[in-house]
Amino acid sequence: MKPPLKKRRAIYAIFILISLLISVLYLYNRFSIAHENLKSPILETVNDTSLTIGIIGDSWVAAGNLDPFVKNSLRQNGRKCTVYSRGLGGAKTKQVYMNLFAPERDFFSTAFIKEKQVKYCIVSCGVNDSFGQFGKRFYSKNMCMIIKELLKYNIKPVIIELPEYGVDELYGTLHIVNKIKNEAFAFFTSKSGRDNIKEYREALAEELKKELLNDKIVFIDFDAVCSDYSKCSNLYTDHLHLTDEGYSKLADEIANGICTDLVKN
């Protein structure tokens, strides 16, 4: 026996409301910018004259992928260094920022970077923001919060510009449902559609200027590594991640940036 019409309508209405609430919470959590932590503990200054480098970010730095290349490039420039790194595959800029405050028991915590007060910290993230269509504001705001947090500890951020990667090629590998979702998010978050790299880069440049951060970072121009994916796809293994040759070229640019900064200071 079917329940009365009024009761069925009430059940349907509750189901719809719950579905809407879950959708709103999902979208808010997905696109919201991290809450800036304004209360960082004051640590005793480390008087260490050796060159220490931190590396944080996404899969580009996970498992120490970039470490040996940075060490080698700095060695070729006459600089020996110690490297501390940790990355999280698939991480967006928001997660990279939040990992700076995660407890040590969290495997992906990068709080140790601040505690060791490395001299420079290389930050490599943004590709997942871009391909996931999280929006230029999400990317630029979270990146600047990462920078400001590092600066509190007298750590100089080395910011790798949002890289070139195979946007269309990666899109072609998606399941039809994910393709539709990707296109929908792109429609609402980007004026340039799927290929939003230039738009995100410009947004970060504007935010850095607004926050007066340009003179406080070492900025790595990724065009010096690859200015157009279609012309240097040999530097990538799967349209997204670098080959050893790609890592070597990136590390050379990072080493040049750090060495130039060391001479100036």
Side-chain angles (χ1 to χ4, degrees):
M1 183 177 178
K2 290 184 178 181
L5 181 60
K6 287 185 178 180
K7 188 174 182 179
R8 292 205 306 272
R9 286 177 174 172
I11 293 171
Y12 294 151
I14 292 171
F15 175 77
I16 291 171
L17 286 172
I18 291 174
S19 298
L20 287 172
L21 178 61
I22 292 173
S23 298
V24 169
L25 289 174
Y26 165 76
L27 292 172
Y28 174 78
N29 183 63
R30 188 183 199 278
F31 292 106
S32 64
I33 296 165
H35 295 292
E36 186 171 3
N37 188 319
L38 301 175
K39 295 182 179 180
S40 297
I42 299 174
L43 301 179
E44 184 178 346
T45 302
V46 176
N47 296 315
D48 188 352
T49 57
S50 63
L51 181 57
T52 52
I53 309 289
I55 310 179
I56 61 175
D58 51 27
S59 58
W60 280 41
V61 301
N65 290 337
L66 188 55
D67 299 20
F69 298 98
V70 169
K71 286 182 180 179
N72 184 57
S73 292
L74 282 167
R75 190 183 303 115
Q76 290 177 356
N77 281 271
R79 302 279 185 175
K80 290 184 179 180
C81 70
T82 301
V83 174
Y84 303 96
S85 71
R86 186 162 296 163
L88 171 60
K92 288 74 178 176
T93 48
K94 179 179 179 179
Q95 186 64 55
V96 174
Y97 174 72
M98 293 171 65
N99 283 346
L100 286 168
F101 306 96
E104 289 184 13
R105 64 178 179 273
D106 186 335
F107 182 76
F108 296 109
S109 170
T110 53
F112 67 91
I113 293 290
K114 298 186 295 181
E115 291 167 4
K116 290 183 180 296
Q117 296 182 57
V118 298
K119 189 172 183 66
Y120 293 92
C121 184
I122 301 164
V123 182
S124 173
C125 54
V127 170
N128 295 307
D129 298 41
S130 170
F131 189 66
Q133 305 296 339
F134 281 76
K136 61 184 181 181
R137 183 172 179 272
F138 178 98
Y139 167 68
S140 60
K141 290 285 187 181
N142 286 317
M143 280 293 289
C144 284
M145 282 195 287
I146 293 170
I147 292 169
K148 288 190 286 184
E149 181 62 21
L150 293 172
L151 288 172
K152 291 177 187 176
Y153 296 83
N154 294 317
I155 298 171
K156 193 150 199 178
V158 180
I159 304 302
I160 299 175
E161 184 177 36
L162 179 63
E164 274 285 317
Y165 65 97
V167 179
D168 293 329
E169 289 81 359
L170 280 173
Y171 179 79
T173 66
L174 295 178
H175 184 275
I176 184 62
V177 174
N178 289 329
K179 283 184 178 179
I180 294 171
K181 185 172 69 172
N182 188 277
E183 288 284 9
F185 287 153
F187 177 81
F188 288 106
T189 63
S190 176
K191 293 180 181 178
S192 48
R194 284 203 306 267
D195 191 349
N196 53 33
I197 296 173
K198 182 180 178 182
E199 189 175 337
Y200 279 41
R201 286 179 174 181
E202 290 174 348
L204 179 59
E206 290 176 9
E207 195 66 22
L208 289 171
K209 183 178 180 180
K210 176 183 173 183
E211 296 285 347
L212 304 177
L213 294 173
N214 281 311
D215 294 333
K216 299 176 182 179
I217 66 172
V218 174
F219 188 78
I220 307 302
D221 181 357
F222 197 82
D223 280 353
V225 179
C226 175
S227 60
D228 186 341
Y229 174 80
S230 64
K231 296 178 182 178
C232 50
S233 58
N234 61 297
L235 298 180
Y236 297 79
T237 60
D238 55 3
H239 314 305
L240 181 65
H241 300 96
L242 295 175
T243 61
D244 285 354
E245 183 184 357
Y247 273 121
S248 181
K249 291 190 68 173
L250 175 58
D252 285 346
E253 293 304 317
I254 292 171
N256 289 337
I258 290 175
C259 289
T260 299
D261 187 73
L262 284 168
V263 171
K264 288 192 303 183
N265 298 289

